[in-house]
Amino acid sequence: HFSLPLQEVERVEVVTLMDNYSDVLLKDTDVIKRPHRSAGGEIPTDTFLAEHGLSLLVSVQKGGKRHTILFDVGYTSMGVPHNLKQLGINIKDTGIECIVISHGHMDHTGALYPILEMLHRPITLVAHPHAFFSPRYVVRDNGARDRFPLTLVKSNLEDHGVEIRESKGPTLIADNTILVTGEVERSTDFETGFPNGFMEQEGELVKDPISDDQSIVINLKGKGMVLISGCAHAGIINTLRYAGKMTGIDNVQMILGGFHLSGPAFEPIIEKTIEKLKEADPKIIVPMHCTGWKAIKRISEAFPAAFILNSVGSRFTLE
């Protein structure tokens, strides 16, 4: 174990500002509250936007003190700002201490600049150094290269008053109540990364390990680990193991976020992933974003009591 001094918290709250799925008919449970879609007895004419992206507003409470961070900012420039308005959340009033970027892909960075303008104050951005790297590509089966847009540009961020905090290793934030994993150690034999991901180095096209992929870890008092992943390009089981190794936390209370099990390259490892997730025995499991419909369906079957279907606007509360 790294013996990182991750502090226990009494309460964790996660609000889904963006995900791939929106459903206003889902019901509340003791863990999740769905947004109420009426005002003064009228059903509104506007509703949430869903897109192939992820953004989570994460708050923790320790000893009466609340800390809030923003984890990723969705794909489009309009999605997260629109959903904040639908939720009645003024981002300036949330007291967010920093923005954490899980990795440099556009579906996690899209609304960054509009949000910085809405905050209208200096803010820290936590990212792996490779999140700023370009060019990166998806190489299609026919050899065609699709270039990832470069959305994280240091000079642009600094112009917006952003203090960039880069680290390959783990970073403690929010008075040591939230751990950003940094680069995830890859130990499983079945989570082998994104086969179509490439990057250009010294004029050569080489495999992109997406080494900037990172997640966040919270230690909920008396309950155990809350693990929140962006895409888990490093593998959700690798991420879970690494989080446990860093913190020494054995019990897993909740795993939520993108597990990247979508499409023909990843569907073959769905069953192996579920097998290993069962060993971890999470009390709550919420696959989001890039997990994919087939994997989400299988996880719902494998974890009938623990599974929760996420939807834009949903608020999770653990205490």
Side-chain angles (χ1 to χ4, degrees), residues 93-154:
D93 298 338
T94 59
I96 67 168
E97 298 171 27
C98 70
I99 298 170
V100 178
I101 297 296
S102 65
H103 60 300
H105 288 170
M106 68 282 153
D107 47 328
H108 298 260
T109 61
L112 183 54
Y113 296 105
I115 283 169
L116 293 174
E117 283 165 17
M118 289 162 74
L119 283 170
H120 206 62
R121 63 174 170 83
I123 189 90
T124 301
L125 183 132
V126 180
H128 185 287
H130 196 195
F132 301 94
F133 183 81
S134 182
R136 305 167 90 165
Y137 300 93
V138 172
V139 177
R140 303 297 175 189
D141 293 343
N142 64 3
R145 296 184 195 179
D146 292 341
R147 181 173 173 156
F148 280 94
L150 179 59
T151 52
L152 294 179
V153 179
K154 287 183 185 179

Side-chain angles (χ1 to χ4, degrees), residues 22-83:
S22 178
D23 184 344
V24 298
L25 303 179
L26 296 173
K27 301 298 182 188
D28 294 350
T29 71
D30 56 349
V31 171
I32 190 167
K33 187 169 173 48
R34 310 295 185 176
H36 188 55
R37 299 306 293 146
S38 67
E42 289 286 328
I43 295 171
T45 57
D46 204 353
T47 189
F48 297 105
L49 295 178
E51 62 189 27
H52 187 85
L54 188 69
S55 181
L56 304 170
L57 191 66
V58 181
S59 300
V60 297
Q61 199 162 308
K62 178 180 169 59
K65 189 169 183 187
R66 185 178 171 93
H67 297 279
T68 301
I69 67 155
L70 182 58
F71 184 60
D72 288 341
V73 288
Y75 196 141
T76 67
S77 60
M78 62 183 170
V80 171
H82 175 89
N83 290 340

